[in-house]
Amino acid sequence: MHPIPRLQTPIFDFLLPSLSPQLCRVSRASITTSTASPPPESSPQALQSTSKAQRRRPLSREQKQFLDSALRVNHAGELAATLIYTAQTPPIVKSHPHLRSLMHHMYAQEASHFTTFSNLLAKHRIRPTAMYPVWTVAATALGWGTAMMGREAAMACTEAVETEIGGHYNGQVRVLLKWVKEMEDRGEEVGEEITELVRTLKRIRDEELEHLDEAVEQDAKNAGGYTFLNRVVRSGCKGAIWISERI
Amino acid sequence: MIRRVLHRPPSPHLVFTKSTYHSYEHERTSPFTPPEDAVLSAGLAQVPKLGFTVDALAQGARDAGYRDVSINLFPAGPFALVHYHLVTQRRALASKQLEQGTSVDSKIRKLALERLHANAGIIDRWQEALALMATPSHVPSSIRELSLLADEILFLVGDQSVNTSWYTKRLALSTAYASSELFMTTDKSPNFTETEAFLSRRLLESKKLGTSIHSTTTWLGVQSMGLVNGLRSKGLRI
């Protein structure tokens, strides 16, 4: 038996640009309790070193698609977060004036995240989610509704949202670090865009997890129907992430 | 089953435009391979004489030094010529100089006009191209090209909006451009001055519509916030 020679058919590449669009899935690295800090990631050299004259190859189609949907989801998520805090603040501050500075602090951080992702979307020509108006209404309703249920419920909402979001960012950071590692193994320069994005995502994730801790300190777990509320909000977040990744 | 559907990665076919993450660290690669490029550009040079036909494509292949049979590489036939023209002219917009300091609206108008003028050489045959684009099997890629053109123009003028207006702006520009393109095929005025006026009117109309929608939604927002705050000041716990 002759071994079948491997056909050299450059024409196939041209006719079939991609038969196997396998996207890197975000394996979410879950964070279930506030005290569990995210597991340590490897810190590749590229994150510290500055650019050197090395070869560099363009991101693959799958990588671009991943970044496209990841940044779109993050933008939608931060939009929702700012709106939740905006809607929660008046009723909460009215009944608990001492929480004014905390609410303002969390809102200001979310607003800065939202600006960051808005700029990234415009810069990298990424389409914002088509569900923009829907998320606006849904997030405002969620924030106002939980604030009306009282301080504990509002904090339980914050806790549930930030748990999901923290895990979500963590998954993205892992995927990006995997790319960085692969690029380094191949001896390529990683490029400022990706390293900067990893740094931004890590910073934002840590700030979201701070909100989670603050919410738990404010008796989030004492809310009436805590388990139910937590389940509902978290599955709502998961659904919203799923939709925003796609449309 | 449900699990499999839920875990399927986001498909690029669900989105309206397939343009994805734009990196600044790599040059944009051409979507055409060098042989395709050679055949299609030679074919396009034959369009004023032969029209958007298989003959033009075959002549282009011969001119580029390939055998006639190589046009089988283009299953879309003459539409490949139309598509090539659309893509290359869209990508050529990036090299156009935009005056600094002018308003975004005038920059949009300038780029849309540049793109329209790129059709001037084959304007007598452009109705054939429009007919090909309207063929059911080519409608999706024609619409996609139109949306990519609007996206390109808005990116080049530095539009930063990333909310719902991202969609409305692109839709409005696409509509204005497509109607102007159709108008241009019947325009006999010197240097297409009537098309320019037509485009300006369409852009102005869509701007007026956009402004009134924006002011209406802003007004509604202000009114409802006022209502809520008024009720709060009356002691209602909301």
Side-chain angles (χ1 to χ4, degrees):
Chain A
M1 281 289 281
H2 293 288
I4 300 163
R6 212 174 146 204
L7 289 171
Q8 293 292 317
T9 46
I11 199 141
F12 282 6
D13 293 350
F14 152 64
L15 288 173
L16 311 166
S18 67
L19 276 177
S20 56
Q22 287 183 338
L23 260 168
C24 318
R25 291 288 299 147
V26 182
S27 59
R28 104 191 15 260
S30 64
I31 295 168
T32 41
T33 64
S34 63
T35 44
S37 59
E41 294 103 2
S42 57
S43 62
Q45 285 179 347
L47 290 182
Q48 281 92 42
S49 67
T50 48
S51 64
K52 285 165 287 183
Q54 271 176 324
R55 78 200 159 85
R56 186 186 266 187
R57 79 169 164 191
L59 296 168
S60 69
R61 211 174 79 110
E62 288 74 33
Q63 287 179 324
K64 283 189 174 180
Q65 274 172 18
F66 172 80
L67 287 174
D68 188 67
S69 61
L71 290 175
R72 172 165 49 251
V73 170
N74 296 352
H75 177 249
E78 297 299 345
L79 165 79
T82 50
L83 289 171
I84 289 175
Y85 287 126
T86 311
Q88 276 184 348
T89 303
I92 291 290
V93 167
K94 186 156 177 122
S95 47
H96 305 276
H98 68 283
L99 288 177
R100 183 186 296 273
S101 67
L102 174 67
M103 295 303 290
H104 177 74
H105 172 70
M106 296 204 288
Y107 169 78
Q109 283 191 332
E110 298 295 356
S112 109
H113 301 167
F114 182 56
T115 320
T116 308
F117 284 118
S118 295
N119 293 338
L120 279 173
L121 248 61
K123 184 179 165 199
H124 295 297
R125 306 180 66 168
I126 296 168
R127 181 174 60 83
T129 173
M131 301 291 276
Y132 204 95
V134 179
W135 298 152
T136 308
V137 174
T140 309
L142 177 66
W144 184 78
T146 50
M148 291 310 290
M149 288 159 65
R151 177 180 68 104
E152 288 86 357
M155 291 299 161
C157 164
T158 303
E159 187 213 334
V161 171
E162 303 291 12
T163 306
E164 269 315 306
I165 297 289
H168 175 75
Y169 280 131
N170 223 18
Q172 289 183 356
V173 169
R174 286 188 171 197
V175 171
L176 291 182
L177 287 178
K178 202 174 110 219
W179 294 0
V180 170
K181 183 145 190 324
E182 284 169 4
M183 288 180 195
E184 280 176 353
D185 289 348
R186 289 195 301 253
E188 293 167 1
E189 189 192 340
V190 179
E192 192 58 28
E193 272 178 18
I194 297 293
T195 51
E196 183 59 40
L197 185 60
V198 173
R199 263 183 245 129
T200 311
L201 286 181
K202 279 185 170 179
R203 174 178 61 82
I204 290 180
R205 176 202 60 195
D206 291 345
E207 288 177 2
E208 302 292 359
L209 293 177
E210 271 171 35
H211 298 176
L212 171 58
D213 283 343
E214 276 152 7
V216 173
E217 267 172 37
Q218 294 294 331
D219 308 326
K221 308 230 184 229
N222 296 344
Y226 168 77
T227 321
F228 176 72
L229 192 61
N230 186 283
R231 283 271 170 81
V232 169
V233 175
R234 283 183 65 173
S235 43
C237 283
K238 277 191 190 134
I241 289 174
W242 189 86
I243 293 171
S244 299
E245 272 177 351
R246 285 158 177 82
I247 56 172
Chain B
M1 177 59 198
I2 291 174
R3 187 163 281 260
R4 204 186 312 150
V5 172
L6 287 177
H7 284 224
R8 200 158 50 187
S11 154
H13 302 291
L14 276 176
V15 301
F16 327 143
T17 57
K18 282 191 207 159
S19 65
T20 47
Y21 181 88
H22 172 82
S23 174
Y24 291 83
E25 295 179 344
H26 310 284
E27 287 190 12
R28 296 169 86 186
T29 48
S30 167
F32 301 104
T33 59
E36 283 181 293
D37 212 49
V39 172
L40 289 172
S41 59
L44 207 54
Q46 299 297 327
V47 163
K49 200 167 70 197
L50 300 172
F52 284 97
T53 54
V54 179
D55 291 343
L57 197 57
Q59 186 60 46
R62 278 194 291 275
D63 290 351
Y66 293 90
R67 274 185 270 165
D68 278 17
V69 70
S70 63
I71 62 168
N72 287 320
L73 281 177
F74 305 104
F79 182 72
L81 289 171
V82 180
H83 183 248
Y84 181 76
H85 177 72
L86 295 176
V87 172
T88 47
Q89 293 305 334
R90 163 166 62 81
R91 291 164 62 89
L93 285 181
S95 59
K96 299 279 188 279
Q97 292 295 320
L98 285 174
E99 287 168 46
Q100 295 297 314
T102 48
S103 71
V104 170
D105 291 327
S106 68
K107 283 181 186 167
I108 290 177
R109 181 174 171 274
K110 167 109 181 0
L111 282 181
L113 274 180
E114 290 276 5
R115 178 61 192 82
L116 283 173
H117 277 294
N119 288 350
I122 47 174
I123 194 66
D124 296 333
R125 299 289 186 177
W126 194 245
Q127 283 189 342
E128 294 171 24
L130 291 175
L132 280 169
M133 282 191 255
T135 315
S137 58
H138 299 143
V139 164
S141 56
S142 309
I143 290 180
R144 199 185 125 222
E145 266 309 315
L146 184 61
S147 71
L148 287 177
L149 175 68
D151 184 61
E152 182 84 7
I153 291 178
L154 285 167
F155 171 71
L156 289 174
V157 301
D159 181 62
Q160 296 279 316
S161 56
V162 281
N163 46 26
T164 315
S165 72
W166 189 95
Y167 292 91
T168 51
K169 280 181 180 174
R170 274 153 185 77
L171 190 65
L173 180 55
S174 304
T175 323
Y177 176 79
S179 53
S180 307
E181 204 178 58
L182 189 61
F183 182 88
M184 194 177 164
T185 57
T186 56
D187 184 6
K188 299 287 175 233
S189 60
N191 206 20
F192 303 106
T193 43
E194 280 184 24
T195 306
E196 288 190 17
F198 183 86
L199 176 72
S200 303
R201 286 200 299 276
R202 294 291 85 76
L203 288 176
L204 197 69
E205 275 167 14
S206 62
K207 189 178 161 60
K208 270 186 197 156
L209 185 66
T211 319
S212 50
I213 290 175
H214 179 76
S215 9
T216 313
T217 47
T218 312
W219 182 82
L220 280 174
V222 169
Q223 290 299 318
S224 52
M225 261 335 275
L227 184 67
V228 169
N229 284 334
L231 291 173
R232 275 177 185 155
S233 73
K234 296 280 177 209
L236 212 64
R237 303 181 65 84
I238 53 170

